[in-house]
Amino acid sequence: MSSASSASSASSAGSASIASPGASPVAFKDPPGGRKAVLVWSIGVAVYFVAVIFRTSLGVAGLEAADRFHVNASALSTFSLLQLLVYAGMQIPVGLMVDRLGTKKVLTLGAVLFTAGQIGFALSPSYGMALAARALLGCGDAMTFISVLRLGTRWFPARRGPLMAQLAGLVGMAGNLISTLVLAPVLHGVGWVPAFAGSAVAGLVVLVPLVLFLRDHPEGHEPAPSAASGAGGFVRRQIADSWREPGTKLGLWVHFTTQFPAMVFLLLWGMPFLVEAQGLSRTTAGGLLTLVVASNMALGLVYGQIVGRRQSSRIPLALGTVALTALLWGSVLAYPGDHAPMWLLIALCMVLGTCGPASMIGFDFARPANPAERQGTASGITNMGGFVASMTTLLVVGLLLDATGDNYRIAFSSVFVLELLGIAQILRLRGRALAREHERVAACIAPVTPPAPVPAATAVAAAGAGAPVGTPADPRPAR
């Protein structure tokens, strides 16, 4: 078997047959998929869609937020920084909650929290209260994506895993598109409070089908019960077993390295950079932000199909995306004129659109490395990567802008430092992770030879001689 086909089998084994370290392979019944699976998954994705709208709403309102709360660049970056800090810090707890409580309970709690956070942000009269509202929003947002990934693994066959993850990411980017195309003009037309409070209604709308119709898994496909253990033992075991897998670590660093350039651009600093540093109008800048989202949506399905059909493409796709992103960022920042030409800005935004689909490859390393009962925890660990990188870059860019008098070239150069760190970790871990994945595939697909049947006469003779029944008699002649 070729390495490509072996890796492909590993992905399929992600839910169908996985062995924990030191254990024999355990078979899991593959979910059937079908129309009902699509319906249930769509409900979960709708909740994630609304969460992304709320998460990215500040990206189109950064300048208005600075005026409303009378803050500088560092304080403005604190909004997104705190939101991402809460989001990243919640990933492992949320993964544990999903594994322990199920998807429906966690998604419902998340929808309630991010809706309350959006309403609070709309009505906050002060900077401190607005920060608290964004933290609440980040807490609810953190509960959505891992839950949607869990729905995909519970309702669809394992071979559909990469495609379903990319589709979920695509729907999330559609939420980003709504922020850019709908919320931005509404904000400029009706003002801060009506725009943000009105958008919070979407959170209440998705709660209804979530409570009434969503189910954690198809009938007859209940997850294996967890071993009896106290809460502390469960948490330690889940985290330790997930982190022990090289595939989980590799997934985290792939997500870390690929996601954050586009996240930082869309979440906060893209609009100020295009308007203040590049001299564009807000309308033109909004169009370029929309291009990032459109490119992401167009390429998400392409990445999903490539990875689903040829697992050996995962590392080249991830590293190629990082290299292309660094090349375009370097070209824009090093351009000798005061403003980069429009064609170069368009190319940058199109390449930034590849960051989201590339970050989803991280889950395609973590998924086959962990059995079904650890999928939530492993996904939470992986998902931390990109948001830790985004949070770090948001803060550093804000601090450098204040320290250099709004020199965006110096501030955005911090992107390259985190990319170099991530590339080094990917190259360090890929050998062990892929070797472990191939070992698991070999263990899962190796034929098991049953023991040869023991003739009844031999068994009786052995029993009479004092040997346990089923033990072959000594073939040597008795003395």
Side-chain angles (χ1 to χ4, degrees), residues 4 16 26 62 76 90 98 105 110 120 165-166 170 180 225 232 255 297 301 311 325 333 340 408 418-419 443 452:
V26 179
L76 181 61
M90 286 290 293
V98 170
K105 293 178 181 178
Q166 290 288 354
L170 186 150
T180 305
H255 199 268
M297 296 176 67
L301 292 177
Q311 293 279 293
T325 304
L333 298 178
Y408 280 90
L418 270 72
E419 286 187 327

Side-chain angles (χ1 to χ4, degrees), residues 277-278 280 331-333 335 337-345 409:
Q278 299 301 319
L280 302 180
S331 300
V332 170
L333 298 178
Y335 192 79
D338 291 336
H339 301 145
M342 180 57 71
W343 65 265
L344 186 54
L345 294 176
R409 293 190 179 190

Side-chain angles (χ1 to χ4, degrees), residues 372-417:
E373 62 271 16
R374 283 206 313 262
Q375 289 295 314
T377 305
S379 296
I381 294 173
T382 301
N383 207 28
M384 283 182 62
F387 288 94
V388 169
S390 299
M391 177 179 61
T392 304
T393 309
L394 281 170
L395 176 61
V396 171
V397 168
L399 292 174
L400 289 175
L401 286 174
D402 286 340
T404 61
D406 292 340
N407 188 322
Y408 280 90
R409 293 190 179 190
I410 295 177
F412 274 113
S413 296
S414 58
V415 169
F416 305 119
V417 177

Side-chain angles (χ1 to χ4, degrees), residues 20 31 58 136 158 192 230 238 291 295 359 397 425 431 446 469:
S20 298
L58 185 61
L136 187 63
W192 182 277
Q238 289 286 96
L291 180 60
S295 173
S359 70
V397 168
Q425 293 297 323
V469 176

Side-chain angles (χ1 to χ4, degrees), residues 314-337:
R314 290 173 294 177
I315 292 291
L317 268 180
L319 293 180
T321 300
V322 174
L324 194 57
T325 304
L327 175 64
L328 266 295
W329 259 124
S331 300
V332 170
L333 298 178
Y335 192 79

Side-chain angles (χ1 to χ4, degrees), residues 473-479:
D474 192 336
R476 296 173 297 180
R479 292 185 178 179

Side-chain angles (χ1 to χ4, degrees), residues 201-414:
V201 175
L204 301 176
V205 170
V206 296
L207 264 175
V208 177
L210 169 59
V211 172
L212 294 180
F213 302 112
L214 190 132
R215 298 291 180 269
D216 288 350
H217 47 73
E219 187 176 352
H221 291 265
E222 293 78 6
S226 301
S229 176
F234 173 81
V235 170
R236 288 192 298 271
R237 186 180 66 253
Q238 289 286 96
I239 295 175
D241 290 348
S242 298
W243 186 247
R244 191 177 293 118
E245 291 290 348
T248 305
K249 299 176 185 177
L250 179 60
L252 180 146
W253 283 106
V254 168
H255 199 268
F256 177 100
T257 314
T258 53
Q259 187 202 45
F260 78 95
M263 179 68 70
V264 169
F265 196 79
L266 289 172
L267 202 58
L268 183 61
W269 291 121
M271 180 70 77
F273 170 74
L274 294 173
V275 173
E276 297 178 353
Q278 299 301 319
L280 302 180
S281 67
R282 293 195 181 193
T283 302
T284 305
L288 288 176
L289 293 179
T290 304
L291 180 60
V292 177
V293 178
S295 173
N296 185 302
M297 296 176 67
L299 293 170
L301 292 177
V302 176
Y303 273 57
Q305 291 286 352
I306 292 174
V307 173
R309 295 178 180 180
R310 191 173 183 83
Q311 293 279 293
S312 59
S313 66
R314 290 173 294 177
I315 292 291
L317 268 180
L319 293 180
T321 300
V322 174
L324 194 57
T325 304
L327 175 64
L328 266 295
W329 259 124
S331 300
V332 170
L333 298 178
Y335 192 79
D338 291 336
H339 301 145
M342 180 57 71
W343 65 265
L344 186 54
L345 294 176
I346 290 175
L348 171 65
C349 291
M350 291 184 67
V351 169
L352 286 177
T354 64
C355 294
S359 70
M360 303 302 294
I361 296 174
F363 298 102
D364 293 319
F365 286 109
R367 186 185 305 111
N370 292 273
E373 62 271 16
R374 283 206 313 262
Q375 289 295 314
T377 305
S379 296
I381 294 173
T382 301
N383 207 28
M384 283 182 62
F387 288 94
V388 169
S390 299
M391 177 179 61
T392 304
T393 309
L394 281 170
L395 176 61
V396 171
V397 168
L399 292 174
L400 289 175
L401 286 174
D402 286 340
T404 61
D406 292 340
N407 188 322
Y408 280 90
R409 293 190 179 190
I410 295 177
F412 274 113
S413 296
S414 58

